[in-house]
Amino acid sequence: MGEPSLHVLEDRSKEKVENSDAVRINLYHVQKSFGEKVVLQDISLEIEAGQFVVIVGKSGSGKSTLLRLASGLEKPTSGDITFNDIPIKNSPAKATMMYQDSRLLPWKSVLNNVGLGLRGNWQAEAEKTLEHVGLLPFKDEWPSKLSGGQQQRVALARALMHNPSLLLLDEPLSALDALTRMEMQNLIEKLWLDQKFTALLVTHDVREAIKLGDRIILIEDGEITLDIENEASRPRSFTDSSLTLLENNILERIMNA
Amino acid sequence: MNKKAIQQIIPWVIPICFIVGWQLIAMNEWVSTQLIPAPITVISSAFTLITSGELLYHMQGSIVRALIGLLIGGGIGFILGVVNGLFKFSYNFTDTSLQMVRNIPNLALVPLVIIWFGIDEGAKIFLVSIGVMFPIYINTLHGIRNIDAGYIEMSKMYGLKGWRLFREILLPGALPSIFVGLRYSLGIMWLTLIVAETIATTRGIGYLAMTAQEFMQSDIIIITIILYALFGKLADMLARWGERRALSWHESYIQ
Ligand SMILES: Nc1ncnc2c1ncn2[C@@H]1O[C@H](COP(=O)(O)OP(=O)(O)OP(=O)(O)O)[C@@H](O)[C@H]1O
Ligand SMILES: [Mg+2]
């Protein structure tokens, strides 16, 4: 998919951008229950602005719930969440989310999906963003004519169009084949390096976590049980033995839970 | 002759035999031509009706009635479907009543409607409206309620709300279902009109048929039957055409 010209992402039209600076997120004693069921218990966490944090953990451990809380879609049962010390609901900072399914609207063309929710003259900007994800030639197609990987790239373009301060990624690559997944990891890393939003990624793939994360958090039964920094230089490759070691450590930690 | 040509001809064998047989019966007067007029007679009376402008006049009467009824009934059904699809309170408040009224066949209302509206336009439009309202109501409601909640959540996250959320997400998401309702309604619309126009009218295809019956003009009766069939087919074709255009994104229409 050619080498996308990344410089264009920097000079975004100002009127559309509300707040493109990365955001620092704080969770203070956050607890979340659904009825009787406690899903997250007493989570306190600080995520630095611009950090790439990856959350791993077994199915049902509460990872998606944590992401939904950080997006403001869901409110904690108790505790507080702030963006740059401002409670989420008052914060001007914008969070966008990518899901495991692309959630592209089948009745909108690729371009119109990318511009979802925008006002004014967003078309040129959307075309640029589509170019970054290598899909400009598909701008007038219906989403259903695209492959799964292409659909996720459109979803990524859509999330980036809003110049998010926080990008939430809930297993966005888990439905893709290994090769496409690696391509997408590189793309996400590139766009993150360029735009410097704060990123919060949930994944089942420990290698993906190590490849992308500045920091890897393990959640078990609604609690953070592991929180490690990963300072390896980018781009990361698994020929680096220290990364393989890290991978084994994390895998062992998950398995022994 | 190759296989393909034969396959194309085969479906037409029965209709052609039918018309030829019909013409033979009429020409030899095996049955009185008052009961079964010859196809030629039907065609020539149709020609007379067309050239005199009489046919157009009656067709206009019927079409206007059908369209006004469809617009009123369909509009009400659509609005109720949208509102009940979006608001739980209004659904709880009205749906049970609507479902009860829906079970009354609209033609059972004919005697009552004549008392209420007399025999003028209002009665016929009312019957058509009632008939087309429910299929559109039910399918709009169903369409709105079945939109993937994930789309709605995602769209809200991207800042869509109010009218834009409706126009860009809810309406297109419900449209396939609404079209199912519309096509079903069109069938009911003509059926209701056929019956309603025989009650008492001074204009319309049904009127043409009723006066023809009084004067034993079976050729004209046959013309009106063919007209209703053509109208039904035409309305369905128009609806399909609209559907193909509006739903070109849908799996069933993507080439
Ligand atoms: N809206 C809800 N209502 C009730 N229970 C919920 C709701 N959302 C999540 N849960 C419960 O919370 C728990 C954690 O769910 P969550 O989706 O956060 O897990 P997860 O870590 O993302 O799992 P997976 O890896 O399978 O996606 C599950 O037991 C789930 O049943
Ligand atoms: Mg999940």
Side-chain angles (χ1 to χ4, degrees), chain A residues 32-35 37-40 55-68 74 100 170-171 202-204 219:
Chain A
K32 178 72 185 176
S33 336
F34 292 105
K37 189 175 164 59
V38 179
V39 176
L40 293 175
I55 300 169
V56 292
K58 287 195 177 142
S59 187
S61 55
K63 305 181 298 294
S64 297
T65 307
L66 184 64
L67 235 58
R68 291 171 61 80
E74 204 114 40
Q100 186 170 349
D170 194 352
E171 302 183 38
V202 169
T203 181
H204 281 284
I219 294 195

Side-chain angles (χ1 to χ4, degrees), chain A residues 207-222:
Chain A
R207 283 205 165 200
E208 184 170 297
I210 293 170
K211 173 149 177 51
L212 293 175
D214 293 326
R215 184 176 170 192
I216 297 158
I217 290 175
L218 173 63
I219 294 195
E220 287 171 312
D221 295 329

Side-chain angles (χ1 to χ4, degrees), chain A:
Chain A
M1 57 168 230
E3 189 63 27
S5 49
L6 286 166
H7 67 276
V8 203
L9 279 173
E10 285 149 14
D11 50 70
R12 290 175 168 261
S13 53
K14 286 289 174 286
E15 68 275 9
K16 184 175 63 61
V17 183
E18 290 135 40
N19 185 341
S20 59
D21 295 330
V23 73
R24 174 168 47 83
I25 310 166
N26 284 87
L27 283 79
Y28 300 102
H29 301 289
V30 167
Q31 196 254 353
K32 178 72 185 176
S33 336
F34 292 105
E36 294 288 285
K37 189 175 164 59
V38 179
V39 176
L40 293 175
Q41 32 190 325
D42 197 36
I43 293 208
S44 291
L45 186 65
E46 172 164 322
I47 294 170
E48 281 168 39
Q51 207 172 30
F52 202 126
V53 176
V54 181
I55 300 169
V56 292
K58 287 195 177 142
S59 187
S61 55
K63 305 181 298 294
S64 297
T65 307
L66 184 64
L67 235 58
R68 291 171 61 80
L69 288 174
S71 73
L73 282 172
E74 204 114 40
K75 290 179 182 52
T77 311
S78 64
D80 299 297
I81 305 176
T82 60
F83 288 168
N84 295 335
D85 300 322
I86 304 170
I88 287 193
K89 65 175 194 299
N90 303 327
S91 169
K94 181 139 192 148
T96 54
M97 176 115 98
M98 243 182 104
Y99 307 85
Q100 186 170 349
D101 54 323
S102 65
R103 299 212 183 161
L104 298 181
L105 300 163
W107 50 82
K108 282 179 179 283
S109 70
V110 165
L111 189 71
N112 285 328
N113 263 288
V114 172
L116 183 73
L118 296 173
R119 284 168 198 282
N121 291 321
W122 50 265
Q123 282 82 357
E125 185 73 19
E127 288 184 6
K128 279 181 209 162
T129 312
L130 267 178
E131 200 178 351
H132 297 314
V133 300
L135 287 179
L136 188 56
F138 293 85
K139 71 185 171 94
D140 295 322
E141 294 287 356
W142 298 121
S144 53
K145 294 186 89 171
L146 271 53
S147 72
Q150 290 172 327
Q151 290 184 10
Q152 283 303 57
R153 277 193 269 163
V154 176
L156 181 61
R158 178 176 65 188
L160 293 175
M161 271 302 281
H162 289 255
N163 265 9
S165 312
L166 170 64
L167 183 61
L168 300 159
L169 304 142
D170 194 352
E171 302 183 38
L173 310 184
S174 59
L176 306 179
D177 63 273
L179 214 65
T180 314
R181 197 185 306 179
M182 270 155 63
E183 250 177 43
M184 281 292 283
Q185 287 165 359
N186 292 333
L187 180 64
I188 289 175
E189 185 174 46
K190 229 182 220 171
L191 293 168
W192 169 74
L193 283 170
D194 187 67
Q195 294 197 39
K196 273 298 173 190
F197 42 81
T198 309
L200 207 50
L201 166 76
V202 169
T203 181
H204 281 284
D205 180 350
V206 175
R207 283 205 165 200
E208 184 170 297
I210 293 170
K211 173 149 177 51
L212 293 175
D214 293 326
R215 184 176 170 192
I216 297 158
I217 290 175
L218 173 63
I219 294 195
E220 287 171 312
D221 295 329
E223 279 184 297
I224 294 176
T225 54
L226 190 71
D227 187 344
I228 45 178
E229 303 282 327
N230 175 13
E231 278 158 358
S233 62
R234 297 172 190 266
R236 292 164 180 170
S237 122
F238 275 82
T239 49
D240 184 340
S241 63
S242 68
L243 288 188
T244 320
L245 206 65
L246 184 62
E247 182 190 11
N248 288 338
N249 280 343
I250 295 175
L251 274 175
E252 206 170 306
R253 187 65 191 72
I254 296 178
M255 293 309 171
N256 291 341

